[in-house]
Amino acid sequence: MQLPPEIVQFIEDRAERIPSGELRQACAALSAHYRGRGSTAGLRLRPEAAAAAYLLMRFPATYAAAHAALAELKVRLGGVEPASSLDLGAGPGAASLAALAVFPQLTQCTLIERLETMREAARELLTGARFLAGDLNSWDNYPEQDLVIAAYALGELPERSRQAVLIRAWRAARVALVVIEPGSPAGFSVVRQAREWLLEAGAHLAAPCPAEGACPMPAGDWCHFAARLERTSLLRRMKAAMLSYEDEKFSYVAACRRDVPRAPARIVRRPEHAPGLVQLVLCDGACIRRELVTRRASLYKPARKSAWGDSWPPEYKPSGSLRT
Ligand SMILES: C[S@@+](CC[C@H](N)C(=O)[O-])C[C@H]1O[C@@H](n2cnc3c(N)ncnc32)[C@H](O)[C@@H]1O
């Protein structure tokens, strides 16, 4: 995944406005924060420096994760295209931009974000979008839209207010709601709890889950996926990173108003390849199990091409081409 060049340019322009020492410090503080836990509100940084560091260090990754989760939702929606979206705790708008890239018929984006510096950056990236300032906790109802997204936002809220925000988000979603969190044990526990609350509220699960029963992920393990993105040269310098790419680990759940065809099973680890053999770790909705696909199996070729996060067995698009 590559960020559109105009977004890369925007991020680099914003970074250039901050003295390099201050930017480096802000990036280091942000990295330390994301390796730990807690709200970004706890960071003591000049707001402009914090926003520039977020754009540089996190925006490409959250864009990639949102793009991957929304692309899977699109498959499940089977031709139903949202025309409007609501992005909760939108930051500089990565999830809304990913939604615009995935759903070409999306024309009305609404974003709720409490920090002015974040809204100001998002305003430049999303011309024509509607911005609502304020705290997610202060609304009785969010404006109804086809698609509602809470990307890396629910986990930032105090635990006591998460359920109320999630239920308001679900009430606002005419077609679907997507919750995305970091692909860590803590992020997954927020997603798993959201999944339970959504099922209690009568939602149908679209992805990644193959079924709507209790989540079979055992204690100590967590359901997560990876979105690979290219690092810009500035990002490599700020992270002192050698690799030209990074894998953003994320957990997510996509819920719909109507029931949709789900994946028969989901590949929940990177497939392991050995000569003549592919080992898949699958969630089939009832349990997490290993499947060995040998050279002689009819699904060997698709297994070799399969990737972490894909459905299994591969499904067929109406055109007849394989989707793995
Ligand atoms: C980790 S960032 C995620 C931003 C964006 N959704 C993304 O995926 O890149 C969380 C954002 O939620 C905002 N936020 C956190 N708590 C909020 C609240 N109670 N009301 C409104 N915004 C909030 C923060 O200001 C921050 O911009």
Side-chain angles (χ1 to χ4, degrees):
M1 148 87 42
Q2 262 182 318
L3 270 184
E6 62 280 9
I7 299 183
V8 174
Q9 191 57 56
F10 175 84
I11 292 173
E12 300 204 338
D13 289 349
R14 284 301 164 118
E16 269 173 23
R17 291 185 193 176
I18 309 296
S20 62
E22 187 183 9
L23 182 65
R24 206 168 277 283
Q25 212 178 8
C27 288
L30 203 66
S31 289
H33 163 77
Y34 281 112
R35 279 196 299 273
R37 198 62 198 140
S39 162
T40 40
L43 295 175
R44 283 161 198 261
L45 299 168
R46 202 160 59 91
E48 294 72 19
Y54 189 86
L55 280 164
L56 191 58
M57 303 284 284
R58 292 300 300 146
F59 185 103
T62 63
Y63 177 93
H67 195 285
L70 292 168
E72 186 57 31
L73 170 66
K74 185 183 171 97
V75 171
R76 301 293 138 205
L77 286 176
V80 175
E81 286 266 334
S84 61
S85 67
L86 174 66
D87 187 350
L88 301 172
S96 294
L97 282 159
L100 284 167
V102 171
F103 296 109
Q105 290 184 27
L106 185 57
T107 50
Q108 296 165 30
C109 296
T110 303
L111 294 84
I112 301 183
E113 169 56 49
R114 67 176 170 194
L115 295 179
E116 168 53 24
T117 42
M118 293 289 192
R119 289 196 304 277
E120 188 270 325
R123 243 180 241 119
E124 274 199 43
L125 287 165
L126 287 145
T127 45
R130 175 167 68 138
F131 290 90
L132 303 174
D135 194 304
L136 289 171
N137 295 300
S138 61
W139 265 270
D140 288 333
N141 292 297
Y142 302 134
E144 272 187 31
Q145 307 292 332
D146 292 348
L147 172 65
V148 178
I149 312 165
Y152 297 83
L154 220 50
E156 295 252 324
L157 302 174
E159 244 176 283
R160 61 180 184 283
S161 62
R162 268 181 218 153
Q163 185 171 12
V165 168
L166 181 82
I167 294 306
R168 280 199 289 277
W170 171 242
R171 279 205 309 260
R174 288 193 209 109
V175 175
L177 166 67
V178 180
V179 174
I180 305 167
E181 286 291 321
S184 60
F188 173 58
S189 83
V190 173
V191 168
R192 180 184 231 167
Q193 180 67 80
R195 180 188 188 276
E196 276 171 34
W197 288 331
L198 285 166
L199 285 171
E200 279 166 22
H204 288 288
L205 299 185
C209 311
E212 296 187 331
C215 171
M217 195 53 74
D221 202 350
W222 64 102
C223 175
H224 65 295
F225 304 96
R228 179 156 293 186
L229 64 134
E230 265 187 34
R231 284 178 167 145
T232 60
S233 52
L234 184 56
L235 180 59
R236 277 171 78 178
R237 283 206 303 283
M238 286 296 157
K239 288 194 166 176
M242 302 298 285
L243 291 174
S244 61
Y245 65 86
E246 66 187 44
D247 285 332
E248 169 67 7
K249 308 274 171 53
F250 66 100
S251 292
Y252 76 103
V253 62
C256 287
R257 286 268 154 225
R258 67 176 175 89
D259 206 359
V260 295
R262 281 175 288 278
R266 178 81 54 192
I267 302 176
V268 291
R269 289 284 174 278
R270 204 181 291 288
E272 285 180 22
H273 296 251
L277 188 73
V278 182
Q279 179 176 266
L280 303 174
V281 179
L282 301 171
C283 172
D284 63 15
C287 66
I288 308 297
R289 60 184 172 83
R290 276 169 209 283
E291 191 164 306
L292 295 177
V293 187
T294 61
R295 199 191 299 278
R296 273 196 243 147
S298 59
L299 289 174
Y300 180 64
K301 218 168 160 188
R304 284 193 60 81
K305 285 202 216 152
S306 67
W308 186 5
D310 284 351
S311 65
W312 185 260
E315 295 158 283
Y316 288 83
K317 279 202 267 181
S319 65
S321 62
L322 266 181
R323 205 196 81 80
T324 53

